[in-house]
Amino acid sequence: MPQAVAGPEIERLIQLLGRMPGLGPRSARRAALQLIKKRETLLAPLADAMRIAAERIVVCRSCGNVDTSDPCTICRDETRDPTTLVVVEDVSDLWALERSGAVKARYHVLGGVLSALDGVRPEHLTIGRLVERASEPGVKEIILALNATVDGQTTAHYVTESLKPLGLTITRLAHGVPVGGELDYLDEGTLTAAIRSRTAF
């Protein structure tokens, strides 16, 4: 167990920062030290922003996005295509798609994927709410933007079966060679998916 080099308040700050994805113990110490050095311009405003966020953040009851309003900014955006619902596993996936600007539709966050090992069953996800939203007048297509993992594909299959009675168009993201990718560096699964999902040139 490493010896503490600062008071308990600073050590707690380091420990909390260390819980963030991508921050190990060393990175957390560096981040804490940077915050302390720039107390007035960085630490105080960050603490204030985090306090306000903790008070105001809500989960959108319609799509599952996180925002400071319910319905969220995306659900209130009238310029979005009301005929298409993009289904994602988590809010981080929704944000990634929004950053890309590739789609201007509405979203539905499942809140995870089905996993027998982790005990995640259909009732733990928002699949029932998805079926309700997909049944609304005007919805024509469901885009399954789920990760290309075993659990992601199992979830995609379950969602497809659940939506089948509605007679909607159900599509999924293409899998295969990334833009700028070299075949020699790709794994066999990616190459197989690329061959199976090949398109006319």
Side-chain angles (χ1 to χ4, degrees):
M1 195 76 182
Q3 187 175 351
V5 294
E9 298 85 0
I10 294 174
E11 287 297 327
R12 176 159 168 71
L13 174 61
I14 293 168
Q15 287 174 1
L16 289 172
L17 288 170
R19 293 182 188 175
M20 299 296 294
L23 284 183
R26 287 184 183 176
S27 298
R29 286 195 180 280
R30 282 196 293 272
L33 193 55
Q34 188 68 10
L35 288 168
I36 292 164
K37 283 180 180 178
K38 299 190 175 183
R39 210 172 356 184
E40 299 302 320
T41 60
L42 196 56
L43 182 59
L46 178 62
D48 193 45
M50 291 175 75
R51 179 187 55 77
I52 293 169
E55 291 171 357
R56 298 185 185 172
I57 286 175
V58 292
V59 175
C60 178
R61 281 179 290 199
S62 180
C63 73
N65 187 21
V66 292
D67 204 339
T68 53
S69 61
D70 181 19
C72 70
T73 304
I74 291 174
C75 286
R76 290 195 324 268
D77 184 355
E78 294 182 1
T79 66
R80 291 185 177 269
D81 180 4
T83 67
T84 306
L85 270 178
V86 181
V87 180
V88 295
E89 175 183 336
D90 196 45
V91 173
S92 60
D93 301 322
L94 184 159
W95 288 4
L97 285 169
E98 278 299 290
R99 280 195 311 272
S100 75
V103 64
K104 189 77 172 168
R106 295 185 298 156
Y107 292 90
H108 186 87
V109 180
L110 289 177
V113 287
L114 298 173
S115 173
L117 285 175
D118 297 324
V120 181
R121 298 189 300 276
E123 58 268 25
H124 297 133
L125 306 178
T126 61
I127 296 172
R129 175 69 182 132
L130 171 61
V131 173
E132 288 175 20
R133 294 184 71 203
S135 303
E136 292 172 2
V139 176
K140 295 178 181 174
E141 181 182 4
I142 306 295
I143 301 174
L144 300 178
L146 301 174
N147 293 321
T149 60
V150 172
D151 289 341
Q153 295 311 299
T154 300
T155 306
H157 179 72
Y158 186 90
V159 168
T160 300
E161 289 301 310
S162 300
L163 295 172
K164 195 175 279 186
L166 301 179
L168 301 170
T169 300
I170 300 174
T171 58
R172 68 174 192 171
L173 297 185
H175 300 132
V177 181
V179 174
E182 296 182 30
L183 298 186
D184 190 37
Y185 293 99
L186 299 177
D187 63 272
E188 290 80 6
T190 300
L191 287 171
T192 302
I195 291 292
R196 288 178 179 165
S197 303
R198 65 191 183 277
T199 57
F201 188 64

